[in-house]
Amino acid sequence: MTELTENSALIVIDVQKGFEDEYWGRRDNPAAEENIVALIRAWRSAGRPIVLVRHDSRPGSPLAAGSPGNELKDVVLKAFGDARPDLFVTKNVNSAFYGKPDLDGWLRERGIGQLVIAGIQTNMCNETTARMGGNLGYDVLYPIDAMHTFDAVGPDGETVTAEELTRATAASLHHGRFAQVVRTADLIGVSASL
């Protein structure tokens, strides 16, 4: 059974308009945004901390800083309504722990030892943040259905589907004990009972 701590922090990574660009190709999990919103609402309702992370990429990228694609998706902004996240982090690498302001310092100052990671992409910034979180001693929960990724071409030229990448990420995080891979419904049910 999934156990949430009272001040478990939800970290919502890179849910940005630029990921709707055809540049990225085919994605998996069309329910990702719906599940991300459900988590945001549950965390807001419970008064738990929420961290929003935005990737500020180089010029020419769909996520380039200052471009329309750099903006957070409307669905996330609507989930917050008039409220603001407890922390807003910007980064230009794969891990939210290498952003500004300092995520690790902020979490430790507040005695937060458990992280729930959601957002885009499953096998990129989400996975990197989860691995670093695990290495830093956090209890990481990884709701695999509250994120998505895209097909990718491997070094052999073969396409690895988004679904295959998601399965590999889940297995790697689970097997390596970096994170506990869960479903959104597991966390919503637990959140409501606290």
Side-chain angles (χ1 to χ4, degrees):
M1 174 163 171
T2 304
E3 291 186 32
L4 286 177
T5 60
E6 193 170 311
N7 67 343
S8 178
L10 174 63
I11 303 179
V12 180
I13 299 175
D14 303 347
V15 186
Q16 294 168 249
K17 293 179 180 178
F19 278 119
E20 296 171 355
D21 192 289
E22 62 184 28
Y23 166 84
W24 304 101
R26 183 186 145 312
R27 68 173 268 187
D28 68 346
N29 192 16
E33 287 83 356
E34 177 183 332
N35 290 325
I36 293 166
V37 166
L39 288 170
I40 292 170
R41 289 184 176 148
W43 255 249
R44 281 190 61 211
S45 176
R48 287 196 180 90
I50 303 175
V51 177
L52 272 182
V53 180
R54 184 186 72 206
H55 192 89
D56 292 343
S57 200
R58 294 184 295 263
S61 164
L63 304 175
S67 73
N70 185 250
E71 296 173 12
L72 297 173
K73 289 188 180 187
D74 293 339
V75 68
V76 168
L77 298 176
K78 286 178 185 172
F80 275 95
D82 293 334
R84 294 185 179 272
D86 297 276
L87 180 68
F88 184 74
V89 174
T90 58
K91 64 179 180 60
N92 56 23
V93 294
N94 300 100
S95 175
F97 285 102
Y98 285 127
K100 292 182 183 176
D102 175 31
L103 176 60
D104 184 46
W106 186 87
L107 293 166
R108 293 194 191 279
E109 283 174 11
R110 285 151 185 81
I112 297 170
Q114 186 178 68
L115 312 178
V116 174
I117 296 174
I120 306 171
Q121 299 181 54
T122 308
N123 59 315
M124 294 288 189
C125 297
N126 292 2
E127 182 176 359
T128 305
T129 301
R131 285 175 178 273
M132 275 196 75
N135 284 339
L136 289 168
Y138 292 97
D139 175 26
V140 180
L141 301 177
Y142 205 76
I144 199 77
D145 59 345
M147 54 188 75
H148 74 80
T149 193
F150 303 91
D151 292 351
V153 177
D156 58 2
E158 295 291 320
T159 296
V160 180
T161 68
E163 292 81 4
E164 291 169 324
L165 290 168
T166 295
R167 281 189 68 227
T169 295
S172 181
L173 290 176
H174 171 80
H175 183 76
R177 298 187 181 167
F178 290 101
Q180 181 183 353
V181 179
V182 296
R183 299 277 173 190
T184 298
D186 300 331
L187 299 176
I188 300 295
V190 171
S191 179
S193 69
L194 289 176

